[in-house]
Amino acid sequence: MAENKTVPTGASVANYLATVMPDRRRADALVLDTLFQRTTGWQPQMWGPSIIGYGQYHYTYDSGRQGDFLATGFAPRKANMVVYIMPGYAEFSDILARLGPHKLGKSCLYLGALNRIDLEVLAELITAGLQDLRQRWPVDAT
């Protein structure tokens, strides 16, 4: 069975954040790092070369495939900030309606500039996503 490609690397989150371009995206990434740490109570770690994760969970599918993945986190991309907060099981439309401009992927939330987003609603969404995830898989801080 193939191994996960996205795994913790041990790389410095602070060093990575210092390299995010453009400057506005870096500033937004620093805001998100603070928000995720405050909301989860967990320290960030790098997953792969560009995802900042908080906590992790272990999964085992009916097929027998199993692995570990970040519980929540984000990746500052050139076009959007990609936020990994929704395990894809629960309906969060009531929270998303209050968030501000966004686009949804399967388990990702795509955000533009954070100055158009309600950060307290985003914190609520992070918490709701983690609560939903905990109902399915064990989640821990490392």
Side-chain angles (χ1 to χ4, degrees):
M1 213 171 286
E3 303 238 347
N4 284 345
K5 293 178 183 176
T6 305
V7 296
T9 66
S12 167
V13 172
N15 288 349
Y16 172 71
L17 288 171
T19 68
V20 172
M21 294 301 281
D23 291 344
R24 183 69 214 150
R25 182 71 67 211
R26 180 172 50 255
D28 283 354
L30 292 169
V31 168
L32 281 185
D33 179 45
T34 300
L35 178 75
F36 272 89
Q37 286 189 55
R38 176 178 56 89
T39 303
T40 66
W42 299 330
Q43 291 299 305
Q45 63 178 337
M46 293 301 302
W47 285 73
S50 61
I51 299 174
I52 301 165
Y54 304 82
Q56 70 181 36
Y57 67 100
H58 184 79
Y59 60 87
T60 303
Y61 295 141
D62 291 339
S63 67
R65 179 180 170 86
Q66 63 178 314
D68 298 298
F69 200 67
L70 59 118
T72 189
F74 70 96
R77 305 281 190 227
K78 189 173 186 177
N80 292 291
M81 192 70 74
V82 182
V83 181
Y84 304 95
I85 55 175
M86 299 180 300
Y89 304 113
E91 172 63 44
F92 296 118
S93 59
D94 59 326
I95 300 172
L96 290 166
R98 297 182 282 117
L99 179 63
H102 66 276
K103 292 181 182 177
L104 290 176
K106 184 174 180 180
S107 295
C108 304
L109 179 68
Y110 299 93
L111 304 174
L114 290 188
N115 63 359
R116 300 180 63 202
I117 299 299
D118 186 325
L119 293 177
E120 291 311 308
V121 173
L122 181 57
E124 182 183 340
L125 190 57
I126 293 165
T127 300
L130 287 172
Q131 288 172 345
D132 183 55
L133 183 62
R134 283 185 181 108
Q135 292 177 20
R136 289 156 176 80
W137 311 109
V139 177
D140 61 49
T142 56

